[in-house]
């Protein structure tokens, strides 16, 4: 059992050996890099087990100093903030805070590399189905994934956005930013949304380090998507009951140079599991399935 009091003020962190001695549990909590502890015997438990405590940690105030840290021998907790404030869009006087636990630490813990798999294509091209098959396949191999589905995100995060071009752009920008956070967390993030405009997808790509944005194009002809029409939306669009439907009276710009193209032209052009396997093999070959 580990007890940690207060997120910024950490008067004591205690636990039992060998949990704490290995540092694993604390690392999992994301607070400290620990190599040495003060040991406290007994403590009224009667079980004779050792317990370990980090003593004399000073409270950290994140905003006050450029580097706030609490040191006890070799145990250090730190939170660095860049002193110079900046402006981002409408956010003025904002500062970046850097934690002592970084992406590499999290990737080591998860034994994988965080990245974004961006699945783009027409409605009905199989984006959501591939996202689910891929997530299932990776999960069964012990890899942590998370799906950001366009349809699903429009139920909450993006419920104030329509399908006009600037709202689609904002939808994609937000999902791109969230996907970036997931990748930074070490997660294999699967974003599945039409994302019809090249420049919006490229903007999301530019948020990530080289190689970490893997664009997957569901290359499925409109006729095939329309024949599937699993939600009946093409029928409504053809009847003029939905305006600005992608592929009917709204544009879709296919990628020019993406990492993976999944073509489904004929009837037997690959089951969702086959398609997921293609993506998994790519991730494996590029080293994303190990730390
Ligand atoms: N006008 C119009 N055009 C396209 N799609 C429409 C539209 N209106 C509603 N829908 C439904 O919304 C889903 C697409 O949402 P996305 O967030 O992926 O779209 S976008 O990336 O912002 O273009 C899409 O889901 P998928 O079929 O899974 O692609 C549709 O169910
Ligand atoms: N690889 C595939 N082969 C044949 N049918 C598929 C495949 N992937 C998806 N489908 C079917 O196509 C329809 C649309 O799939 P869906 O994943 O909802 O597409 P999207 O998310 O792009 O709108 C569903 O009925 C689904 O069962």
């Amino acid at each position: 059992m580990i007890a940690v009091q207060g997120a910024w003020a950490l008067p004591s962190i205690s636990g039992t050996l060998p949990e704490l001695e290995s540092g694993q549990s604390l690392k999992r909590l994301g607070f400290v890099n620990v190599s040495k502890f003060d040991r406290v015997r007994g403590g009224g438990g009667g079980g004779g087990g050792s317990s370990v405590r980090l003593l004399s940690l000073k409270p950290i105030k994140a905003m006050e100093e450029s580097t706030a840290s609490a040191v006890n021998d070799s145990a250090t907790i730190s939170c660095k903030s860049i002193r110079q404030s900046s402006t981002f869009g409408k956010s003025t006087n904002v500062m970046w805070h850097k934690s002592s636990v970084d992406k590499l630490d999290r990737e080591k813990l998860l034994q994988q590399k965080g990245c974004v798999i961006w699945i783009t294509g027409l409605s009905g091209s199989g984006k959501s189905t591939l996202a689910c098959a891929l997530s299932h396949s990776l999960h069964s191999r012990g890899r942590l994934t998370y799906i950001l589905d366009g349809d699903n995100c429009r139920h909450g995060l993006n419920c104030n956005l329509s399908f006009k071009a600037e709202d689609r752009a904002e939808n994609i920008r937000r999902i791109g930013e969230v996907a970036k956070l997931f990748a930074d967390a070490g997660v294999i993030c699967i974003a599945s949304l039409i994302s019809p405009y090249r420049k919006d997808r490229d903007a999301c790509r530019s948020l990530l380090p080289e190689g970490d944005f893997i664009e997957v194009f569901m290359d499925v002809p409109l006729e095939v998507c329309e024949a599937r029409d699993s939600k009946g939306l093409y029928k409504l669009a053809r009847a003029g009951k939905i305006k600005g439907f992608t592929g009917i009276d709204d544009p879709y710009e296919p990628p020019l140079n993406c990492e993976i193209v999944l073509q489904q032209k004929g009837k037997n052009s690959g089951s969702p599991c086959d398609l997921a396997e293609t993506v998994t093999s790519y991730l494996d070959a590029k080293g994303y399935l190990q730390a």
Side-chain angles (χ1 to χ4, degrees):
M1 235 277 284
I2 302 268
V4 177
Q5 296 162 13
W8 292 112
L10 292 166
S12 75
I13 298 174
S14 63
T16 55
L17 286 172
E19 237 182 347
L20 283 173
E21 207 157 37
S22 71
Q24 285 307 311
S25 302
L26 288 166
K27 276 199 165 177
R28 233 180 292 128
L29 286 167
F31 284 114
V32 285
N33 286 319
V34 182
S35 60
K36 197 174 170 190
F37 298 92
D38 291 310
R39 291 171 188 232
V40 184
R41 286 233 165 243
S50 295
S51 73
V52 179
R53 202 173 289 154
L54 288 175
L55 300 170
S56 314
L57 294 175
K58 294 198 180 100
I60 298 170
K61 276 191 184 167
M63 298 292 286
E64 269 182 5
E65 316 226 7
S66 58
T67 302
S69 63
V71 181
N72 177 47
D73 289 343
S74 55
T76 304
I77 302 172
S78 72
C79 173
K80 290 178 186 163
S81 55
I82 313 272
R83 268 196 154 231
Q84 202 179 348
S85 61
S86 314
T87 297
F88 288 88
K90 292 179 187 168
S91 291
T92 53
N93 300 311
V94 287
M95 286 177 224
W96 184 266
H97 297 270
K98 196 174 179 324
S99 165
S100 58
V101 179
D102 66 11
K103 187 182 184 214
L104 283 175
D105 295 318
R106 293 184 283 270
E107 291 181 334
K108 221 165 144 193
L109 195 71
L110 295 168
Q111 286 298 301
Q112 64 184 45
K113 290 198 180 75
C115 61
V116 175
I117 299 162
W118 191 278
I119 307 173
T120 174
L122 292 171
S123 176
S125 59
K127 301 181 297 296
S128 307
T129 307
L130 171 64
C132 291
L134 183 57
S135 179
H136 186 267
S137 156
L138 289 170
H139 182 83
S140 66
R141 292 178 201 204
R143 300 302 185 278
L144 184 63
T145 63
Y146 194 80
I147 298 175
L148 295 173
D149 187 274
D151 248 337
N152 292 359
C153 289
R154 283 175 177 278
H155 283 67
L157 176 68
N158 294 333
C159 67
N160 62 332
L161 301 174
S162 74
F163 287 90
K164 62 184 182 197
E166 59 263 43
D167 279 4
R168 288 190 200 247
E170 177 60 11
N171 179 41
I172 291 152
R173 188 193 71 79
R174 286 184 200 171
I175 294 182
E177 289 284 357
V178 174
K180 175 188 165 182
L181 295 178
F182 272 99
D184 189 51
V187 174
I188 298 172
C189 181
I190 305 167
S192 141
L193 58 165
I194 296 178
S195 42
Y197 298 109
R198 239 172 252 138
K199 80 167 166 39
D200 297 336
R201 296 192 300 265
D202 288 347
C204 294
R205 176 186 289 276
S206 72
L207 295 174
L208 284 132
E210 182 83 32
D212 286 3
F213 185 91
I214 298 146
E215 192 173 358
V216 179
F217 174 38
M218 304 303 286
D219 187 7
V220 186
L222 176 65
E223 312 81 77
V224 175
C225 297
E226 199 170 350
R228 288 177 179 169
D229 204 10
S230 51
K231 300 174 191 160
L233 297 178
Y234 281 102
K235 202 168 171 210
L236 291 173
R238 288 286 183 200
K241 292 182 180 159
I242 300 178
K243 302 279 184 220
F245 196 80
T246 307
I248 305 298
D249 56 349
D250 225 46
Y252 179 80
E253 300 171 357
L256 298 175
N257 198 13
C258 64
E259 282 70 15
I260 302 175
V261 179
L262 297 176
Q263 277 196 341
Q264 296 165 67
K265 296 221 158 115
K267 284 220 160 175
N268 300 317
S269 49
S271 70
C273 287
D274 293 338
L275 302 179
E277 187 50 42
T278 303
V279 180
T280 305
S281 300
Y282 178 92
L283 293 177
D284 207 3
K286 295 284 179 185
Y288 283 95
L289 302 186
Q290 58 200 37

